[in-house]
Amino acid sequence: MFKRISGMVLAGLTAMSVAACGGGTGGGATGGGGDSITMGFSQVGAESGWRTANTKSVQDSAKNANITLKFSDAQQKQENQIKAIRSYIQQKVDIIAFSPVVESGWDTVLKEAKDAKIPVILTDRAVDSKDTSLYKTFLGSDFVEEGKKAGQWLVEEYKSSTDPVKIVELQGTTGSAPANDRKAGFQDVIKAETKFEIIASQTGDFTRAKGKEVMEAFLKSNPDIDVLYAHNDDMGLGAIEAIEGAGKVPGKDIKIITVDAVKDGMQALADGKINFIVECSPLLGPQLMDLAKKVLKGEQVPARVVTEETTFNQEQAKQALSSRQY
Ligand code: AHR
């Protein structure tokens, strides 16, 4: 493994490079390039089209970067992620990366990794640890910004209306960064106008099945829904089935805003069933492997790397569909 080889051969250089760059928990690794690196990656699960694309991006990029990947799927459970991280520490991998299912409760295990001198990279989702030395960098989207973009579209869409706008919200996994932040960003924008009212808000756990189930319940207790804001495409797609099942027309009777822009979501947008999608890119693999190599070489990396993203209306979706990678 990278750490062992470089630790023996380049011990002196290691000390120099860590000292020169500073800010590192070490890991004892130096060099990169031809040395073999083992990364332990703990994935959230397989809850959405976004997640499937993200897993593929990480696996493909590891192969391309000549990094040995130990991959585990936590099935949306924090306890499974903690177990996986502990097992990576025991196996003495060179670097650990993970997408934390929820924001809280990571300090102990991250401290264990730090004590073992194994650097950690957060991908996709953040943790709320006060001690930012527990991880090297956080690569992923700005979820608050995504929520704001969703809110801005809504404000623009209803700018000439004074009637009340009744909104239902399908939240992502409770306690997860995207659920917390997409909610906060959206509310921050719409709160300026009293005509907007969130009449129901519940988690659909980022899955299509739960999105459908919760939307069915929303429709039963609220006959006059104007807008659905779903924190991802999959929940929005499930909700579309519920709306059609209730005899209403998605995109017309109920306007729909989602986040992600995976192919299925983009197809529904092009078909007029969704009105607006805020993009969240799952293609984090190449940047993750780059950052991992830099960290292990002792190079300084930015504390935060934000993914570049856009938004799509129905016309833009029609144009973009054929070249969509995920
Ligand atoms: O953390 C990113 C979110 O997780 C995606 O928006 C959602 O689809 C996924 O499950």
Side-chain angles (χ1 to χ4, degrees):
M1 265 189 295
F2 183 92
K3 197 171 355 189
R4 240 170 281 133
I5 299 164
S6 57
M8 284 187 300
V9 181
L10 299 169
L13 208 64
T14 303
M16 272 170 56
S17 92
V18 171
C21 297
T25 49
T30 62
D35 293 339
S36 108
I37 295 172
T38 300
M39 172 187 282
F41 186 89
S42 170
Q43 181 58 289
V44 169
E47 72 281 6
S48 62
W50 188 100
R51 191 63 56 193
T52 308
N54 179 246
T55 293
K56 186 172 179 330
S57 171
V58 170
Q59 290 174 333
D60 289 353
S61 311
K63 234 177 255 159
N64 294 340
N66 208 16
I67 290 179
T68 305
L69 189 71
K70 290 178 183 282
F71 182 90
S72 61
D73 174 341
Q75 298 177 343
Q76 295 242 62
K77 291 201 175 80
Q78 182 176 33
E79 70 215 63
N80 291 344
Q81 285 200 300
I82 291 176
K83 267 189 215 147
I85 293 169
R86 290 207 165 114
S87 132
Y88 295 145
I89 296 171
Q90 268 184 352
Q91 294 172 59
K92 298 187 174 20
V93 298
D94 298 306
I95 190 156
I96 293 171
F98 79 116
S99 172
V101 60
V102 290
E103 282 190 281
S104 304
W106 298 103
D107 288 26
T108 306
V109 74
L110 288 178
K111 176 98 178 29
E112 289 167 26
K114 186 176 177 181
D115 290 345
K117 300 199 183 320
I118 299 177
V120 172
I121 296 181
L122 303 178
T123 76
D124 162 36
R125 298 183 181 179
V127 297
D128 64 3
S129 302
K130 298 266 173 310
D131 180 359
T132 54
S133 79
L134 294 176
Y135 53 91
K136 289 294 185 182
T137 180
F138 165 35
L139 161 67
S141 309
D142 183 337
F143 297 134
V144 174
E145 196 50 39
E146 289 174 352
K148 284 188 180 171
K149 287 177 187 170
Q152 280 152 4
W153 180 83
L154 193 67
V155 168
E156 184 61 25
E157 182 70 7
Y158 285 91
K159 67 171 184 241
S160 47
S161 163
T162 49
D163 295 339
V165 181
K166 294 184 178 169
I167 305 161
V168 294
E169 180 181 32
L170 280 169
Q171 295 180 39
T173 303
T174 304
S176 69
N180 294 342
D181 294 355
R182 286 174 188 165
K183 183 175 186 53
F186 183 73
Q187 264 172 341
D188 199 40
V189 171
I190 64 164
K191 72 174 183 219
E193 298 193 39
T194 50
K195 69 184 175 199
F196 294 117
E197 191 194 350
I198 300 182
I199 56 169
S201 180
Q202 208 178 302
T203 182
D205 219 7
F206 281 129
T207 69
R208 213 175 275 213
K210 199 79 195 292
K212 181 178 179 192
E213 188 188 307
V214 176
M215 189 68 199
E216 280 168 351
F218 282 167
L219 285 159
K220 270 189 199 133
S221 39
N222 308 282
D224 302 322
I225 299 167
D226 298 304
V227 174
L228 162 66
Y229 170 43
H231 289 186
N232 80 344
D233 288 345
D234 279 83
M235 292 189 295
L237 292 163
I240 286 172
E241 290 177 35
I243 293 166
E244 287 175 335
K248 294 186 186 263
V249 182
K252 293 209 164 62
D253 295 336
I254 297 178
K255 298 210 169 140
I256 302 179
I257 311 166
T258 64
V259 184
D260 277 358
V262 296
K263 260 194 190 143
D264 288 355
M266 292 288 275
Q267 186 63 61
L269 181 60
D271 293 345
K273 294 185 178 193
I274 293 178
N275 302 79
F276 188 68
I277 300 185
V278 179
E279 186 183 42
C280 175
S281 174
L283 306 179
L284 305 177
Q287 277 173 295
L288 171 61
M289 300 309 149
D290 253 29
L291 287 166
K293 284 187 176 177
K294 284 187 176 149
V295 166
L296 289 170
K297 277 184 194 164
E299 285 177 23
Q300 196 77 333
V301 294
R304 177 77 169 100
V305 181
V306 183
T307 325
E308 273 181 35
E309 284 151 353
T310 184
T311 59
F312 297 96
N313 61 26
Q314 293 173 340
E315 278 317 304
Q316 290 163 330
K318 285 179 198 158
Q319 309 280 321
L321 247 179
S322 60
S323 59
R324 207 75 194 140
Q325 285 182 61
Y326 53 89

